[in-house]
Amino acid sequence: MAKSSEPLTRQRVLEAALFLLDQEGLEGFSMRKLGASLGVEAMSLYNHVESKQALFDGVIELLIIQAPLPLHPHATPREELWAIAHAFRDVLRAHPRVLPLVATSPLRTPASLVLLNHLLETLHQAQITGVQSIYALQCLVGFIVGHTLLGTRTQAVAGLEPGPNGPMVWQQFPADHYPRLHMLLPELAQWNADQEFDFGLQALFQGFFEQ
């Protein structure tokens, strides 16, 4: 095990954990592997993170702070949430193997809660308050994470095989059994993940802001 002359810190541990997760996913991750990548025994890591769960919370924090909050002082709540949604999606798409962790872990670190508080404050400015602000927040985050998670697998929801010119799966099934699917095949050739994301986000915002 090669030792590094650079002192071990929480930041270094989290960055190394994110790199290892990017390479091997949750199924291939272990504290032993993380320690080896840093040139230390696994037990040394617990001087910087309390537990494996605390480590994962810190990894999510790293992702969140990569998506800076919009600072435009005159942005409307809708513009603010639109920018945050796209920034967060961009970060998630850059780390697809960490998505299952993000999808199943609540925000628990101070830096993560800054974003949560900002989102709730933005919703409050849009007159979405009380428990409805929680509903709106859950819908927004669930849509961003869920859509990004689907996009990292296949394009099956759109009826397309992976790859820009892949054959359409629906063509394998008889048109007389599934006429509407076959009628849509020419349209599916124009399917675009970014446009789909914007379509869904606009639909959410119509419910949030145009009631």
Side-chain angles (χ1 to χ4, degrees):
M1 181 185 298
K3 296 196 179 238
S4 171
S5 59
E6 189 178 350
L8 202 61
T9 63
R10 178 178 181 269
Q11 183 70 16
R12 275 195 69 209
V13 170
L14 296 181
E15 289 173 353
L18 177 57
F19 181 81
L20 184 59
L21 286 164
D22 281 340
Q23 298 301 307
E24 303 200 19
L26 281 171
E27 66 280 0
F29 180 90
S30 72
M31 298 299 278
R32 179 186 59 78
K33 288 182 180 179
L34 178 58
S37 73
L38 288 164
V40 300
E41 297 294 334
M43 290 304 296
S44 299
L45 301 173
Y46 295 106
N47 294 322
H48 306 278
V49 290
E50 295 179 0
S51 63
K52 189 175 182 180
Q53 184 58 62
L55 174 77
F56 287 162
D57 290 344
V59 168
I60 294 172
E61 173 188 301
L62 275 187
L63 296 181
I64 285 173
I65 63 178
Q66 288 180 30
L69 299 178
L71 300 177
H72 193 297
H74 304 297
T76 66
R78 182 174 188 142
E79 292 169 340
E80 186 94 345
L81 292 175
W82 183 272
I84 292 173
H86 282 83
F88 190 39
R89 178 179 180 244
D90 288 343
V91 170
L92 295 179
R93 291 174 84 182
H95 302 278
R97 303 193 77 174
V98 190
L99 266 169
L101 180 63
V102 177
T104 56
S105 301
L107 301 182
R108 284 184 283 232
T109 69
S112 301
L113 294 177
V114 168
L115 174 63
L116 186 63
N117 187 77
H118 182 84
L119 289 169
L120 289 170
E121 179 61 34
T122 303
L123 289 166
H124 183 82
Q125 292 172 9
Q127 309 303 314
I128 304 171
T129 60
V131 71
Q132 289 192 343
S133 67
I134 301 296
Y135 297 158
L137 179 65
Q138 293 280 58
C139 287
L140 179 61
V141 174
F143 173 70
I144 297 167
V145 174
H147 189 274
T148 310
L149 185 60
L150 283 174
T152 63
R153 306 295 179 102
T154 68
Q155 299 170 353
V157 173
L160 301 175
E161 291 285 359
N165 300 308
M168 299 194 179
V169 174
W170 293 348
Q171 288 177 334
Q172 301 173 17
F173 301 97
D176 57 339
H177 288 185
Y178 310 101
R180 182 59 59 184
L181 301 186
H182 279 260
M183 287 177 64
L184 284 172
L185 286 176
E187 301 299 325
L188 288 172
Q190 304 173 37
W191 178 84
N192 178 279
D194 294 334
Q195 292 176 9
E196 183 180 80
F197 183 77
D198 286 353
F199 176 89
L201 204 56
Q202 287 169 352
L204 276 178
F205 283 9
Q206 185 173 356
F208 291 169
F209 302 114
E210 299 175 15
Q211 295 180 0

